[in-house]
Amino acid sequence: YGVPYAKRYHHPDSPDYASPLFLDCCGLVRRVLRDLKADFGFSIGPWNQAYMYDTLPIVVEREEDMRPGDLVFVSGTYYNPKSKKQRHDMVHVEIWAGEGEKVVGARWQRGKVQMFNSYKFQSKSYHSMQYHFRSIDTWLLGICKSYCPDHPWTRSTFVPSQRSVFAVEEPAQQDQEAEDADDHTQILSSHGNQGDAATEDVDVRVVEDPKTS
């Protein structure tokens, strides 16, 4: 807990500006998986919550069947027509905590990773929100691959020289770009934290494949 969402939302004089780590919603999940890489048996890719959604095919139909560690994905439609659509319209993800509706997540642009009393919230950036429960059982079996026929989420096998304009990005840079693509959450929770909702709208600029689900 307590890790700030993103550096650019803090003033240089703020203690959080100098934080050694920043985690947005998908960055939090990615960090957990990488810290537990030896236990899960795979390396999670650098993409955002839409990618994670595609790698978890087991749908949990009922809230009461969710188990700690399972994921809650949020889909929605942006109010701003200039905002690029996320694949499957997935705009957010949080981790099920296992106590009622509680979740752990990075929800506020100027907030920090924390426990929320409910996965339900109201958004000022998108509407028509739907919640999608997914089991992480496939991850626990050491399987992390896309089950979506439209989105294979694969890296290029071409390995150019470092001087080439096609040089592969470093993992940290890939992660940052994935976080930038996801960094749009401007929400007003129905369970408080209203002070953090006063943030700027951030256009999401994602290069989308011709195929969409």
Side-chain angles (χ1 to χ4, degrees), residues 175-188:
D175 289 351
Q176 183 60 56
E177 290 181 353
E179 291 168 9
D180 288 344
D182 174 60
D183 195 6
H184 58 267
T185 310
Q186 181 184 2
I187 52 185
L188 177 62

Side-chain angles (χ1 to χ4, degrees), residues 3-212:
V3 178
Y5 185 94
K7 185 172 187 173
R8 60 184 165 277
Y9 298 118
H10 298 278
H11 191 275
D13 294 335
S14 167
D16 289 330
Y17 187 83
S19 174
L21 179 66
F22 296 90
L23 296 171
D24 65 359
C25 71
C26 58
L28 171 62
V29 177
R30 189 186 308 117
R31 180 59 185 254
V32 170
L33 288 172
R34 288 182 176 174
D35 286 349
L36 299 175
K37 176 182 175 180
D39 298 294
F40 279 97
F42 63 83
S43 297
I44 189 73
W47 304 286
N48 67 9
Q49 66 279 347
Y51 155 69
M52 296 171 183
Y53 177 82
D54 278 347
T55 66
L56 295 174
I58 302 177
V59 178
V60 180
E61 298 291 349
R62 302 185 305 170
E63 180 182 304
E64 53 266 34
D65 292 331
M66 289 284 282
R67 293 180 293 180
D70 288 342
L71 299 185
V72 182
F73 292 90
V74 182
S75 62
T77 302
Y78 293 111
Y79 287 112
N80 188 343
K82 295 182 180 179
S83 296
K84 299 296 183 181
K85 287 184 59 177
Q86 298 282 354
R87 297 177 182 183
H88 306 293
D89 293 323
M90 287 298 157
V91 295
H92 191 61
V93 62
E94 293 180 346
I95 304 170
W96 194 259
E99 299 178 21
E101 296 183 350
K102 289 185 178 180
V103 290
V104 176
R107 188 180 288 184
W108 311 107
Q109 288 179 341
R110 292 175 181 165
K112 299 179 180 180
V113 173
Q114 67 180 83
M115 177 89 73
F116 294 95
N117 288 328
S118 176
Y119 62 90
K120 300 172 184 175
F121 59 84
Q122 296 177 342
S123 171
K124 297 179 71 175
S125 292
Y126 40 81
H127 60 87
S128 303
M129 295 168 60
Q130 295 184 8
Y131 300 95
H132 308 265
F133 299 144
R134 288 294 185 272
S135 167
I136 64 167
D137 280 354
T138 48
W139 285 358
L140 293 174
L141 292 173
I143 304 170
C144 183
K145 65 177 185 178
S146 177
Y147 289 85
C148 177
D150 294 327
H151 307 137
W153 300 96
T154 56
R155 292 188 178 97
S156 172
T157 57
F158 172 61
V159 183
S161 68
Q162 289 300 311
R163 293 184 178 182
S164 171
V165 294
F166 299 106
V168 177
E169 302 152 339
E170 292 298 321
Q173 180 180 350
Q174 293 178 327
D175 289 351
Q176 183 60 56
E177 290 181 353
E179 291 168 9
D180 288 344
D182 174 60
D183 195 6
H184 58 267
T185 310
Q186 181 184 2
I187 52 185
L188 177 62
S189 172
S190 58
H191 298 274
N193 295 326
Q194 296 184 9
D196 287 323
T199 58
E200 307 88 355
D201 282 329
V202 179
D203 287 346
V204 182
R205 303 186 184 279
V206 180
V207 178
E208 187 60 89
D209 288 342
K211 295 182 180 180
T212 55

